[in-house]
Amino acid sequence: MADIAKALPLKRSSVQAAHAQIKKHVHRTPVLTSTTLSELASTPQTPETLVGTPFEGQTPARPKINFFFKCENYQRIGAFKIRGAFHALSRLDKEELAKGVVTHSSGNHAQALALAARTYGITAHIVMPTISTPSKIAATKGYGAKVYFSGSTSEEREAVLNEVIEVTGAILVHPYDHPDIILGQGTMALELEEQYAEMIREDPSLSIYYQKDKAINGHTDDTNGAHEPGSPYLSAVIAPIGGGGMLSGIATALHPTPTHVFGAEPSFQGADDARRGLAANERITSVKTLTIADGLRTPVGSIPWAIISDKSKCRGIFAVTEEQILAAMKLVLERMKVFVEPSAVVGLAVALFDEEFRGLVEREGGVEGWDVGVVLSGGNTTVEAVGKMFGVGDVKGGRLEGKLGMNGEKTAENVAG
Amino acid sequence: MADIAKALPLKRSSVQAAHAQIKKHVHRTPVLTSTTLSELASTPQTPETLVGTPFEGQTPARPKINFFFKCENYQRIGAFKIRGAFHALSRLDKEELAKGVVTHSSGNHAQALALAARTYGITAHIVMPTISTPSKIAATKGYGAKVYFSGSTSEEREAVLNEVIEVTGAILVHPYDHPDIILGQGTMALELEEQYAEMIREDPSLSIYYQKDKAINGHTDDTNGAHEPGSPYLSAVIAPIGGGGMLSGIATALHPTPTHVFGAEPSFQGADDARRGLAANERITSVKTLTIADGLRTPVGSIPWAIISDKSKCRGIFAVTEEQILAAMKLVLERMKVFVEPSAVVGLAVALFDEEFRGLVEREGGVEGWDVGVVLSGGNTTVEAVGKMFGVGDVKGGRLEGKLGMNGEKTAENVAG
């Protein structure tokens, strides 16, 4: 990548500069609301649901939560990764670009870099494990990338990667551990806050706390200059964390604003490395998990860690179980009718099921509640994979169905931002 | 229902009147475009793909097709049926309303009538087969309806229905065979043509034939007064047909415009009753099919038949196989990231796979091609059902994958209308 010493500083104005660079290449993805899901999140869990969880015996929280979903599954290549890839390329000079770019990835970053490179008219070299699914290999090749195969261990991968770099001189583009990537991913937060403000100005009833013809109750940001005076803003944004490029980018973009930033990750087989690292006050550098949220199996990188471990930038990280991820995914597919991958819904799962987060919203949001931005990060899965995930006996739907029963209407109310 | 003799005449102005009545109760559902799917439809099928089909040995057609998807899966209750239900109730007088309403349905019409009745503050009585899926029974009860159970034969159903009517005096609301329903469903066509015109005016490049700063090549409608002079219009709209309420409503709404209307239905086990009826010049009144497009298992009703068998209103009906429906559904879910039920995609399947339709577009659309409105009628299915549909060995994806391989980019480009 571009020399880290030349990178823009990790602050909001740099995210704004990144946005100006990549705007023409990425979609301004829609922001959707859902009455059904917001009502669901605003209904207390039953005490029975909490049995067997860390929250057993507690009085269920009564938060008021109103969702705004930033739908990066509608982004180019079907996921947010294209933002960072385009920004990384925009930071290379002509000479560097001429060498081509290289990365190892079997997922969305591979396709993102391939598409960005094609757009720049340069070569992308992608190292993928031999065992990658054929459709992902085909998709990456479909964007014109040169694909190299390696074994599955990180040593085998590094060996092939280094060989490619030696032979081609291509510039490495890391999937998350670089300021250029972080600033690129953070651009979604700028769009989300802008779209939110537009939506609320057009239809104040979309907000849980906006009162027409009055100042927004304590929710106008006229203190720090990040927004126009009187601009409505989200109480919080919650986003998935794997390597941490996206979450740290969002935290960087929103740092000077009053919007709180939270992270969400799976807990399965220790995938909650960021949460555990924060508790231990030390970054965890190795994780081995097969969580269904396959985009979030990576431990958090060192530069993202420096950002998300700063409480003033990221207020907390919460972890959810595989069952909670599946329950959230079922809701997004069946109720919102939006097709997402499992990694995309961990933020929603936290808002629906994590009593610590829900208690926090109850305490701080009070009777008014919180407008919460939730990042749906991508939609790259298949109908066959969905079939396997929801195979008979895999889903514990009891709790979910019970909660849904309280809800009259079965619909997504979509508002494009 | 309201006395048929008092119904509005089956013409465009009545659909406009219906729209004025129901507007406040229904969503103006979004219209989405997809570069990927339009490119796919504009790529000829391979001769190998046509082996074993009625088109074997023909030269594959080379149509240019540009899709505009009317997403009624984002409608209230998750399907278009709410339009007809609200319109039917709006046509009842106070005395009639006081008696309550009744229907038999195990599907979207049940939930639509239940929600509309609740909104009007009256009782909906719904007769459902005992074997209905528990989630549909729960959803219908969730809207406040009184549910009655019957056996599965039409005699058993009728018996319970008549009993309910006798005891309660409730007014029957038929799912499709009544002008009030037809005019209600037709309202989606008015929105679609309006949204299309708005979208093209804002971004002419969304149209396949609009040329900026020029008249739209032969595609302005300034002849018959249905549109403003110079208004851009769709070449065609294609919609699913089961009982025919929706298709006949659309045909009625668009009759005086230059937009051609087509119907699409499954062929499995004779579900293509409308197509076969047109060929035989006689309505087929009985069908027994278990097509996965479960909303389209019904034979076409007598009033819809009178409309769709009028060539000047509906130009033709095409039928697709179960495999083609699954292939189209896979595309909408995985590429557009939009969650739909199998019945919703039969129109898309026709545009992608039916050589007769594709040949017609090639002939009439020529080098410019056609902007085609496709109705995605609903999204009420479950992840478990999707899992079953796409279980290993069920999908013949070879042809599909081959075609997709030609396409670089894996994304939906969504434009809200």
Side-chain angles (χ1 to χ4, degrees):
Chain A
M1 309 197 56
D3 188 345
I4 226 168
K6 290 190 218 153
L8 298 172
L10 286 160
K11 54 185 198 178
R12 180 175 169 94
S13 59
S14 303
V15 182
Q16 290 167 324
H19 200 218
Q21 285 295 324
I22 68 169
K23 229 172 179 171
K24 60 181 172 295
H25 297 301
V26 305
H27 293 321
R28 188 180 193 247
T29 52
V31 172
L32 305 182
T33 60
S34 165
T35 307
T36 303
L37 266 66
S38 293
E39 281 177 9
L40 209 50
S42 302
T43 307
Q45 302 192 78
T46 62
E48 298 76 50
T49 314
L50 303 183
V51 173
T53 78
F55 314 109
E56 182 170 346
Q58 293 182 14
T59 306
R62 310 182 72 86
K64 288 194 185 158
I65 295 176
N66 186 35
F67 291 125
F68 292 79
F69 295 99
K70 178 65 173 166
C71 294
E72 287 288 296
N73 60 321
Y74 294 127
Q75 188 50 268
R76 295 183 75 185
I77 73 119
F80 71 94
K81 293 271 184 183
I82 194 72
R83 296 176 183 269
F86 267 114
H87 186 237
L89 294 200
S90 79
R91 302 284 306 160
L92 297 176
D93 62 30
K94 261 195 182 161
E95 242 166 78
E96 289 168 319
L97 282 171
K99 294 177 184 168
V101 288
V102 60
T103 199
H104 57 75
S105 163
S106 56
N108 292 330
H109 178 60
Q111 291 167 54
L113 191 63
L115 175 59
R118 189 178 70 182
T119 308
Y120 271 76
I122 64 172
T123 308
H125 308 272
I126 313 283
V127 179
M128 301 180 94
T130 316
I131 55 157
S132 304
T133 52
S135 63
K136 292 209 164 165
I137 298 169
T140 307
K141 285 184 177 168
Y143 293 121
K146 289 185 81 164
V147 172
Y148 306 77
F149 294 103
S150 76
S152 302
T153 70
S154 59
E155 291 77 24
E156 291 168 316
R157 242 167 31 183
E158 294 291 332
V160 177
L161 186 76
N162 289 332
E163 212 183 298
V164 173
I165 293 176
E166 207 166 293
V167 172
T168 64
I171 310 272
L172 177 66
V173 177
H174 195 278
Y176 50 84
D177 207 6
H178 193 286
D180 293 351
I181 296 290
I182 292 168
L183 296 170
Q185 319 299 28
T187 57
M188 77 175 77
L190 301 181
E191 292 175 15
L192 172 56
E193 64 176 3
E194 191 177 88
Q195 290 167 303
Y196 171 79
E198 285 169 10
M199 289 164 77
I200 302 311
R201 283 207 190 90
E202 194 172 310
D203 181 0
S205 75
L206 287 173
S207 168
I208 203 169
Y209 40 66
Y210 186 89
Q211 308 208 348
K212 210 172 170 344
D213 302 326
K214 284 220 296 181
I216 301 166
N217 296 342
H219 288 90
T220 47
D221 177 19
D222 35 29
T223 49
N224 57 39
H227 299 128
E228 281 172 65
S231 184
Y233 63 89
L234 288 160
S235 306
V237 170
I238 183 160
I241 172 163
M246 172 170 57
L247 181 62
S248 61
I250 292 170
T252 301
L254 299 180
H255 177 50
T257 78
T259 301
H260 302 295
V261 174
F262 298 91
E265 61 187 348
S267 59
F268 188 62
Q269 296 176 334
D272 53 342
D273 63 283
R275 194 190 60 74
R276 292 183 295 123
L278 286 180
N281 212 13
E282 183 169 30
R283 181 168 74 99
I284 290 168
T285 55
S286 165
V287 171
K288 238 187 170 154
T289 170
L290 287 174
T291 170
I292 50 164
D294 55 2
L296 308 177
R297 290 175 182 169
T298 325
V300 58
S302 60
I303 304 176
W305 171 259
I307 298 166
I308 62 141
S309 59
D310 177 345
K311 275 256 178 264
S312 77
K313 293 183 176 164
C314 174
R315 276 199 59 191
I317 309 259
F318 301 89
V320 285
T321 65
E322 302 291 282
E323 285 76 17
Q324 290 169 337
I325 294 171
L326 284 173
M329 182 161 163
K330 187 173 162 70
L331 283 167
V332 174
L333 269 63
E334 295 183 1
R335 299 303 176 101
M336 286 185 69
K337 322 286 184 198
V338 168
F339 196 72
V340 289
E341 60 188 75
S343 304
V345 300
V346 291
L348 172 62
V350 164
L352 290 172
F353 304 119
D354 189 291
E355 283 294 311
E356 200 184 327
F357 179 80
R358 294 170 60 80
L360 186 152
V361 177
E362 182 183 6
R363 280 195 311 280
E364 301 194 8
V367 285
E368 283 188 329
W370 271 14
D371 283 347
V372 176
V374 173
V375 177
L376 299 178
S377 51
N380 289 334
T381 186
T382 64
V383 288
E384 292 82 6
V386 169
K388 273 185 206 156
M389 284 174 221
F390 293 96
V392 178
D394 280 347
V395 191
K396 294 172 185 156
R399 187 257 144 148
L400 184 65
E401 290 300 321
K403 241 194 155 185
L404 292 177
M406 314 191 60
N407 241 291
E409 191 162 348
K410 193 177 162 186
T411 177
E413 292 180 22
N414 290 274
V415 183
Chain B
M1 308 197 56
D3 188 344
I4 226 167
K6 290 191 218 153
L8 298 172
L10 286 160
K11 55 185 198 179
R12 180 175 170 95
S13 59
S14 303
V15 182
Q16 290 166 324
H19 200 217
Q21 285 296 325
I22 69 169
K23 229 172 179 172
K24 60 180 171 295
H25 297 301
V26 306
H27 293 322
R28 188 181 194 247
T29 52
V31 173
L32 306 182
T33 60
S34 164
T35 307
T36 303
L37 266 64
S38 292
E39 281 178 9
L40 210 50
S42 302
T43 307
Q45 302 193 78
T46 62
E48 297 76 51
T49 314
L50 303 183
V51 172
T53 78
F55 314 109
E56 181 171 346
Q58 292 181 17
T59 306
R62 309 181 73 85
K64 289 193 186 158
I65 295 176
N66 186 35
F67 291 125
F68 292 79
F69 295 99
K70 178 65 172 166
C71 294
E72 287 288 294
N73 60 320
Y74 295 126
Q75 188 49 269
R76 295 183 75 184
I77 73 119
F80 71 95
K81 294 271 184 184
I82 194 72
R83 296 176 183 271
F86 267 113
H87 186 236
L89 294 200
S90 79
R91 302 283 305 160
L92 297 176
D93 62 29
K94 261 194 182 160
E95 241 167 77
E96 290 168 319
L97 282 171
K99 294 177 184 170
V101 287
V102 60
T103 198
H104 57 75
S105 163
S106 57
N108 292 330
H109 178 60
Q111 291 168 54
L113 191 62
L115 175 59
R118 189 178 68 181
T119 308
Y120 271 77
I122 64 172
T123 308
H125 307 272
I126 313 284
V127 179
M128 301 180 95
T130 316
I131 55 158
S132 303
T133 53
S135 64
K136 291 208 165 166
I137 298 169
T140 307
K141 285 184 178 169
Y143 294 121
K146 288 185 83 164
V147 173
Y148 306 77
F149 294 102
S150 76
S152 302
T153 70
S154 58
E155 290 78 23
E156 291 168 317
R157 241 166 34 181
E158 294 290 333
V160 177
L161 187 75
N162 290 331
E163 212 183 298
V164 173
I165 293 175
E166 207 165 294
V167 174
T168 64
I171 309 273
L172 176 67
V173 178
H174 194 279
Y176 49 84
D177 207 6
H178 193 285
D180 293 351
I181 297 290
I182 292 168
L183 296 170
Q185 320 298 29
T187 57
M188 78 176 75
L190 301 180
E191 292 176 15
L192 172 57
E193 64 176 2
E194 192 177 88
Q195 290 168 303
Y196 171 79
E198 285 169 11
M199 289 163 76
I200 302 310
R201 284 208 189 88
E202 194 173 309
D203 181 0
S205 74
L206 288 174
S207 168
I208 203 168
Y209 41 66
Y210 185 88
Q211 308 207 350
K212 209 171 171 341
D213 301 327
K214 285 220 293 181
I216 301 166
N217 296 343
H219 288 89
T220 47
D221 176 19
D222 35 28
T223 48
N224 56 38
H227 299 129
E228 281 172 65
S231 184
Y233 63 89
L234 288 160
S235 306
V237 170
I238 184 160
I241 171 164
M246 171 170 57
L247 181 62
S248 62
I250 292 170
T252 301
L254 299 180
H255 177 50
T257 78
T259 301
H260 303 294
V261 174
F262 297 91
E265 62 187 347
S267 58
F268 188 62
Q269 295 176 335
D272 54 343
D273 63 285
R275 194 191 60 74
R276 292 183 294 123
L278 286 179
N281 213 12
E282 184 171 31
R283 182 168 73 100
I284 290 168
T285 55
S286 165
V287 171
K288 238 187 170 158
T289 171
L290 287 173
T291 170
I292 50 164
D294 55 2
L296 308 176
R297 291 176 182 169
T298 327
V300 58
S302 61
I303 305 177
W305 172 258
I307 298 166
I308 63 141
S309 59
D310 176 345
K311 274 257 178 263
S312 77
K313 293 183 176 164
C314 174
R315 277 200 57 190
I317 309 259
F318 300 89
V320 285
T321 66
E322 302 290 282
E323 286 76 18
Q324 291 169 336
I325 294 171
L326 284 173
M329 182 161 164
K330 186 174 161 71
L331 283 167
V332 174
L333 269 63
E334 295 183 0
R335 299 304 176 100
M336 286 184 68
K337 322 286 184 198
V338 169
F339 197 71
V340 289
E341 59 188 75
S343 303
V345 300
V346 290
L348 172 62
V350 164
L352 289 172
F353 304 119
D354 190 291
E355 283 295 310
E356 200 184 328
F357 179 80
R358 294 170 60 78
L360 186 153
V361 177
E362 182 184 5
R363 280 196 310 280
E364 301 195 9
V367 285
E368 283 188 327
W370 271 15
D371 283 347
V372 176
V374 172
V375 177
L376 299 178
S377 51
N380 289 334
T381 185
T382 64
V383 288
E384 291 82 4
V386 169
K388 272 184 207 157
M389 284 175 222
F390 293 96
V392 178
D394 280 347
V395 191
K396 294 174 186 154
R399 187 258 144 147
L400 183 68
E401 290 300 320
K403 241 193 152 183
L404 292 177
M406 312 190 60
N407 241 290
E409 191 163 350
K410 194 176 162 187
T411 177
E413 293 181 20
N414 289 274
V415 183

